[in-house]
Amino acid sequence: MIKLSVCIPVWNQQDLVLRALDHIPRRDDIEILVRDDGSTDRTLPNLLNYKARHPELNMSVYRNLENKGVYYTLNRLLEDAKGEYFHCHNSDDCVDTEVYNRLIDCLHGTDVLGFDLRINNGTVWKLTPETNRIHCAQAIRFIRKGFVDQYGITYREELKAASDYYYNEEMLKHNPIIVYSGEVCYLYNFPREGSLVDLRAKGIIGE
C-alpha cells in the first residue's frame, strides 16, 4: 500500500531537484512522481540518471513536451498519484528527512496534516489555525487524496501564481479534519532569485 505520493513539478532545476530527491526518506510505502515541464536545461536527463542510480526508489519521471505551467503539471501528477495521501513538493526546496519520515507515520484519521517551514535566514513560519489561510501552500501539508477527489478539488491551471490560495480555500469550504504537527519539516528556499515568488514580487508575472 502506498501511504504517500510525493509530487514534484519541475522546470529548469537541474541541480536543486536532485537535492530535493536526496532528502526524501527511502521507504516502501511512498512513491515519488516527478514531472518535467518542458525544461530547456539538463533537468530531464539528470532525473533519468538519478532514477537509474537509485533503483531502491519507487520513482516515476514524466514529461510535458512543452512548458504548460506549474498548476497544469501538478494536476497531471495528482491524476497519477496512487497514495492515500499526497504532498506537493517544490523542486527547489527540500524537507527535513527525519521529521518528514516521522510525520508519514502519523498519517491516519485526518484529512490534512500540516507542518511548519524554515526559510533561508532561519526564520520559522508556523502553520496554525490562525495562519492557515496566510500560509496556504500545499507544500506544507500532507493531504488525503480521497478528500480532495470527493469534492473535485483541483488547481486552477489558468493562473501563473497563487493557485495554492484557491486550492486551500476550496478545501476549507468542506471542513477537513486538520492536524497541526507544530514541527519544522519543510525547508523553503526563500528568498531565491528567479523563483516563482520572486518573479511575482517583481511584477514579471501576475496571477
Side-chain angles (χ1 to χ4, degrees):
M1 174 183 174
I2 302 298
K3 174 65 74 173
L4 179 70
S5 297
V6 184
C7 300
I8 307 177
V10 57
W11 179 74
N12 283 0
Q13 292 296 342
Q14 61 185 19
D15 299 316
L16 287 176
V17 70
L18 303 184
R19 184 188 71 153
L21 291 168
D22 282 340
H23 283 76
I24 296 171
R26 274 51 177 160
R27 48 190 292 168
D28 293 336
D29 59 352
I30 70 173
E31 63 174 0
I32 302 171
L33 309 178
V34 189
R35 192 172 190 98
D36 176 61
D37 189 21
S39 292
T40 57
D41 64 358
R42 289 194 52 80
T43 293
L44 184 60
N46 283 2
L47 285 169
L48 295 174
N49 288 338
Y50 190 95
K51 175 179 167 62
R53 294 198 315 271
H54 294 278
E56 77 279 6
L57 290 181
N58 181 12
M59 176 178 168
S60 299
V61 178
Y62 304 93
R63 183 190 184 194
N64 300 336
L65 294 180
E66 60 184 26
N67 183 257
K68 304 288 285 186
V70 63
Y71 302 121
Y72 170 93
T73 305
L74 278 169
N75 280 337
R76 304 293 83 74
L77 285 166
L78 290 172
E79 288 171 356
D80 289 322
K82 296 178 176 62
E84 182 182 359
Y85 290 83
F86 65 87
H87 178 217
C88 296
H89 189 317
N90 296 330
S91 62
D92 53 345
D93 302 330
C94 62
V95 297
D96 182 310
T97 308
E98 181 179 346
V99 178
Y100 198 83
N101 199 45
R102 185 164 64 245
L103 291 180
I104 294 173
D105 291 332
C106 296
L107 287 175
H108 49 80
T110 184
D111 297 318
V112 179
L113 176 62
F115 35 87
D116 304 339
L117 65 81
R118 180 182 293 116
I119 64 175
N120 289 336
N121 68 5
T123 300
V124 172
W125 296 356
K126 302 285 292 181
L127 182 63
T128 67
E130 293 72 31
T131 64
N132 196 351
R133 284 187 156 89
I134 298 171
H135 302 323
C136 56
Q138 283 68 68
I140 53 174
R141 294 163 170 83
F142 292 151
I143 300 169
R144 187 168 65 83
K145 192 168 187 295
F147 176 80
V148 295
D149 288 349
Q150 176 183 358
Y151 299 108
I153 301 171
T154 60
Y155 285 96
R156 290 174 54 177
E157 296 178 13
E158 75 276 13
L159 300 179
K160 297 188 186 310
S163 192
D164 274 332
Y165 170 80
Y166 297 103
Y167 196 102
N168 190 50
E169 288 294 306
E170 192 62 30
M171 286 199 301
L172 293 177
K173 287 180 186 177
H174 301 288
N175 300 310
I177 300 170
I178 305 175
V179 171
Y180 300 91
S181 71
E183 297 210 55
V184 178
C185 181
Y186 199 73
L187 309 178
Y188 181 26
N189 190 10
F190 170 85
R192 183 179 69 79
E193 185 77 20
S195 69
L196 186 64
V197 172
D198 176 61
L199 294 177
R200 188 179 176 214
K202 292 177 178 175
I204 296 174
I205 62 171
E207 295 191 5

